[in-house]
Amino acid sequence: MSEKWNNFRFKFPEFILLLLILLSGITLNFSGGGFVLSLKKIGFTALGTVEKGFHFVVNGISDSVSSVKELKRLKKDYNELLLKLENYEKMQRSNADIKKENERLREQLDFSISMDEQNFPAQIISRDFDNVYSYLTIDKGSVNGIKKNMPVVAFQNRNHGLVGKVVQVGAFTSQIMPVYNLDYIVSARIQNSRDLGLVSGSGSSDNPLLMQYIRKKVADELSIGDIVVTSGENDNYLKDIPIGTISKIISLDYNSSLNIELTPIIDFSRLENVIVVNQKQLNDRKGE
């Protein structure tokens, strides 16, 4: 074995030559900057990867924050739009209500102007629903020219009708006894046949009025839906003001006259404005 190792041994000159070649290569690498460039490339790559990752994370956080802010802004804008829409709808409803109210007041004013008698448009400000002797309170009184026992009418749904009469007058308000009050009685005629009777209240605006003292023998001449109007006798009321329409005709064996139920012309549940009439004085038409 020692013989083989002795044969494999480098000679000194050859060793020196190999060492010089290796040193020359290393020197050339350093002097050419190749080795340094490789280290720079490695460091730049590592640093660039870290920076890119950091930039990605920062951008992700920034985008998330921006998204949250944008979502909040959109939600705020959405809520503001909802509020504007709600206000617009309220304004539309309000405008529609105002338009209807103006139409009602214009109709009442036109009817008031068309009357020959002096009259005073008024508004109902309170009413009693519980008492069978119910009363309505209006916003006009003695300072406006209102007097006790003046008849009260209304214009509603393009029809005029009897509301009642003034029973109490204050300086700025007055009390009206409506036709459905249990104590209310008015002389009336059936418009078509001109038969005379008395109409009284039943204590509630939801119940029909009652007409009595119409002879049984005229029953065949009467029909459901016939209009009953004021007779105008005794100067208590204007003549031919509609009171109600016949809804039921009752003939009792023990009674010589008919009991006739009437549906009031005026819908008292929707009544807001009335006209108090001074039938003893004509309307002033100087402005016409």
Side-chain angles (χ1 to χ4, degrees):
M1 183 174 178
S2 60
E3 291 180 1
K4 290 181 179 181
W5 175 253
N6 291 331
N7 293 333
F8 185 71
R9 225 182 265 178
F10 283 109
K11 293 181 179 180
F12 182 76
E14 294 173 348
F15 174 76
I16 294 300
L17 179 62
L18 182 62
L19 181 61
L20 291 174
I21 293 172
L22 180 62
L23 290 174
S24 298
I26 292 172
T27 303
L28 287 174
N29 265 333
F30 273 103
S31 63
F35 187 72
V36 174
L37 184 61
S38 298
L39 289 177
K40 286 184 178 179
K41 285 183 179 179
I42 293 172
F44 178 77
T45 301
L47 183 60
T49 303
V50 172
E51 287 182 347
K52 185 175 181 180
F54 180 76
H55 180 73
F56 177 78
V57 172
V58 170
N59 281 349
I61 294 173
S62 177
D63 290 343
S64 298
V65 172
S66 298
S67 297
V68 171
K69 289 182 178 179
E70 181 67 14
L71 183 61
K72 288 182 178 179
R73 187 187 66 79
L74 290 175
K75 185 176 181 181
K76 181 182 178 181
D77 292 344
Y78 175 74
N79 291 333
E80 289 177 353
L81 287 174
L82 282 182
L83 182 61
K84 289 180 179 179
L85 179 61
E86 183 179 351
N87 291 336
Y88 176 76
E89 290 175 347
K90 287 181 180 178
M91 185 174 64
Q92 288 291 92
R93 288 194 296 269
S94 178
N95 289 338
D97 292 340
I98 291 173
K99 184 177 180 180
K100 289 180 180 178
E101 177 66 17
N102 287 339
E103 289 175 355
R104 287 195 297 267
L105 293 175
R106 188 180 300 110
E107 288 178 345
Q108 177 181 265
L109 179 61
D110 291 342
F111 177 70
S112 171
I113 293 174
S114 70
M115 296 182 69
D116 293 328
E117 296 79 10
Q118 184 185 39
N119 57 80
F120 311 94
Q123 183 177 6
I124 296 173
I125 56 175
S126 68
R127 64 185 76 202
D128 184 359
F129 289 104
D130 300 326
N131 197 332
V132 292
Y133 303 102
S134 300
Y135 295 92
L136 308 175
T137 302
I138 60 174
D139 63 349
K140 293 292 191 320
S142 59
V143 296
N144 306 107
I146 307 296
K147 295 179 181 179
K148 188 175 180 180
N149 292 324
M150 282 185 174
V152 183
V153 298
F155 192 86
Q156 187 184 67
N157 299 326
R158 303 193 178 188
N159 293 312
H160 66 287
L162 183 66
V163 173
K165 66 177 180 180
V166 177
V167 292
Q168 188 172 341
V169 181
F172 303 102
T173 61
S174 300
Q175 204 169 55
I176 298 171
M177 178 188 289
V179 293
Y180 59 82
N181 188 297
L182 200 60
D183 280 346
Y184 193 91
I185 298 176
V186 58
S187 177
R189 289 186 183 275
I190 297 174
Q191 190 176 57
N192 293 334
S193 68
R194 308 307 295 178
D195 287 284
L196 182 66
L198 292 176
V199 173
S200 59
S202 57
S204 171
S205 60
D206 297 327
N207 296 331
L209 306 176
L210 180 63
M211 187 174 192
Q212 296 177 301
Y213 308 111
I214 300 296
R215 297 166 299 168
K216 280 185 176 181
K217 64 180 183 180
V218 302
D220 294 338
E221 301 176 28
L222 307 181
S223 302
I224 302 299
D226 283 350
I227 299 175
V228 174
V229 298
T230 55
S231 68
E233 295 184 358
N234 302 323
D235 292 330
N236 290 329
Y237 295 93
L238 301 171
K239 187 178 181 180
D240 290 332
I241 299 296
I243 301 173
T245 57
I246 295 176
S247 57
K248 190 175 183 180
I249 301 172
I250 304 169
S251 179
L252 301 174
D253 294 337
Y254 58 83
N255 199 335
S256 60
S257 62
L258 300 171
N259 284 342
I260 300 175
E261 293 184 357
L262 308 178
T263 299
I265 290 290
I266 298 298
D267 184 352
F268 285 91
S269 65
R270 296 183 176 182
L271 185 62
E272 299 178 58
N273 303 96
V274 298
I275 299 173
V276 182
V277 182
N278 181 4
Q279 58 188 355
K280 301 186 183 299
Q281 186 171 339
L282 294 179
N283 205 355
D284 183 7
R285 299 182 184 277
K286 291 181 180 181
E288 294 184 356

